[in-house]
Amino acid sequence: MPCKVITFGIQKGGCGKSTTTGITAHLLREDGYRVLAIDMDSQGNLTELLSEQPSNEFMGNSILEALQTNRIQDYIVPVAENLDLLPANNFLATFPRWIYTGKTYTGENLPFKGNPSLILDQILEPIRDQYDFIVIDTPPSLSEQTTNALCASDYVVVMFECSNWCYSAIPNFMDSVEGARSFGHRDTQVIGILRTLNDVRRSDAKAFNEMIQEDYPEDVFETIITRKAPTGRLSVYGFNENPEIKQALEQYTSFYKELIQRVKG
Ligand SMILES: Nc1ncnc2c1ncn2[C@@H]1O[C@H](COP(=O)(O)OP(=O)(O)OP(=O)(O)O)[C@@H](O)[C@H]1O
Ligand SMILES: [Mg+2]
């Protein structure tokens, strides 16, 4: 199977994008796949989750520099067997400024020529063959970081945290994926909508779950991820020597099965 690139996104904050990207990377590697995880969010949450280091540790050695040079290999960090990371930090926020002015955050002049949304897709070209899966975490906005991730992806998992504001973000995000599909070269498509962070005690959450199911019956994954303290605490314990790893990943294993089935199907 040729390398598949999957982005996790929604232009709304706190919907479980970073958590789900990290868990999916972990489950893929446990399944024996060769995985590259790319952090396209300047918050660096995926970076910290997978590397268990502060994202500032990667200053000058991150996805930003990979995007600005032709040397992506130099910035890949191995974090576990079969799992590599292209880390991010605060300076990724200067990515758009560099695209449009040619100035890097260090003041260097590095003029950019080409299509501003296809930079990531292009830099991945020489390394795609080294991986079975590339997973990408995105910021909670429709920035250049997000459009680059979408245009570099075969598939997009749309994250739906069952609230009204996330509900109103969905159609816009679907349009963004459609835009990437027509604009990019990868035939980008939604592989599913994942309902996350469900509070089982809230009836409005249940209502939003049902609404999204009615609106996108073909797209929603059957698995619904609820709020669980061990899953939230992955940001504290990580994946290694985590005393509650089984509980943290429990619900995600059935999402993972559905995802793989769709990718293969
Ligand atoms: N299933 C879950 N149960 C409990 N807590 C969770 C769960 N999933 C994620 N969290 C926690 O909820 C918060 C938001 O999750 P996360 O950071 O993954 O979302 P995000 O969409 O990446 O946010 P942002 O838009 O800021 O990038 C984090 O503190 C995370 O640890
Ligand atoms: Mg995040």
Side-chain angles (χ1 to χ4, degrees):
M1 190 173 70
C3 174
K4 298 289 182 205
V5 184
I6 310 176
T7 280
F8 296 78
I10 186 73
Q11 51 236 49
K12 163 86 183 71
C15 297
K17 294 180 288 294
S18 303
T19 302
T20 305
T21 312
I23 292 176
T24 306
H26 173 81
L27 293 174
L28 283 166
R29 96 167 186 89
E30 283 219 311
D31 220 1
Y33 293 110
R34 298 164 303 166
V35 185
L36 172 67
I38 304 180
D39 195 346
M40 285 300 280
D41 183 4
S42 63
Q43 294 183 91
N45 295 151
L46 180 72
T47 299
E48 301 202 343
L49 177 62
L50 294 180
S51 73
E52 298 186 8
Q53 290 180 63
S55 61
N56 281 348
E57 289 290 313
F58 300 99
M59 232 178 264
N61 291 298
S62 69
I63 179 69
L64 177 63
E65 288 75 20
L67 290 160
Q68 290 171 336
T69 66
N70 284 324
R71 304 190 311 272
I72 185 169
Q73 294 279 13
D74 294 357
Y75 301 101
I76 293 175
V77 180
V79 287
E81 194 187 348
N82 280 337
L83 177 57
D84 290 347
L85 171 69
L86 271 166
N89 56 57
N90 268 311
F91 287 107
L92 184 55
T94 65
F95 179 53
R97 191 182 70 194
W98 165 70
I99 293 174
Y100 301 114
T101 68
K103 280 256 186 293
T104 71
Y105 72 91
T106 57
E108 202 182 335
N109 211 17
L110 216 63
F112 166 74
K113 287 191 208 75
N115 191 321
S117 293
L118 301 181
I119 307 171
L120 181 62
D121 190 42
Q122 279 159 12
I123 66 162
L124 289 179
E125 213 40 59
I127 59 159
R128 274 178 209 275
D129 288 351
Q130 297 169 25
Y131 299 98
D132 300 307
F133 285 93
I134 298 176
V135 294
I136 309 177
D137 185 23
T138 53
S141 61
L142 191 65
S143 57
E144 276 74 3
Q145 289 87 311
T146 307
T147 53
N148 268 272
L150 294 178
C151 287
S153 294
D154 302 289
Y155 301 118
V156 180
V157 175
V158 181
M159 303 299 300
F160 179 66
E161 175 253 338
C162 47
S163 70
N164 197 22
W165 289 343
C166 196
Y167 186 72
S168 53
I170 294 266
N172 289 340
F173 192 70
M174 292 301 209
D175 286 348
S176 307
V177 178
E178 202 46 50
R181 183 192 179 84
S182 47
F183 196 69
H185 305 311
R186 308 215 66 83
D187 205 19
T188 311
Q189 53 177 294
V190 169
I191 194 153
I193 300 175
L194 178 62
R195 293 168 286 183
T196 61
L197 283 159
N198 264 250
D199 190 334
V200 285
R201 293 160 304 185
R202 278 179 58 171
S203 56
D204 59 323
K206 190 163 175 279
F208 280 115
N209 276 340
E210 287 166 5
M211 277 157 72
I212 208 81
Q213 169 114 41
E214 276 166 28
D215 294 352
Y216 303 96
E218 307 284 306
D219 290 321
V220 287
F221 289 103
E222 260 178 56
T223 309
I224 296 176
I225 309 287
T226 59
R227 275 181 199 275
K228 270 180 80 177
T231 309
R233 279 195 294 265
L234 275 171
S235 62
V236 181
Y237 294 137
F239 293 100
N240 305 306
E241 293 169 36
N242 179 336
E244 49 186 21
I245 189 76
K246 202 157 167 256
Q247 297 94 299
L249 301 182
E250 215 163 35
Q251 317 183 72
Y252 270 97
T253 49
S254 55
F255 157 67
Y256 176 75
K257 277 188 202 141
E258 284 190 74
L259 178 68
I260 289 292
Q261 221 162 33
R262 290 187 187 191
V263 169
K264 288 186 174 165

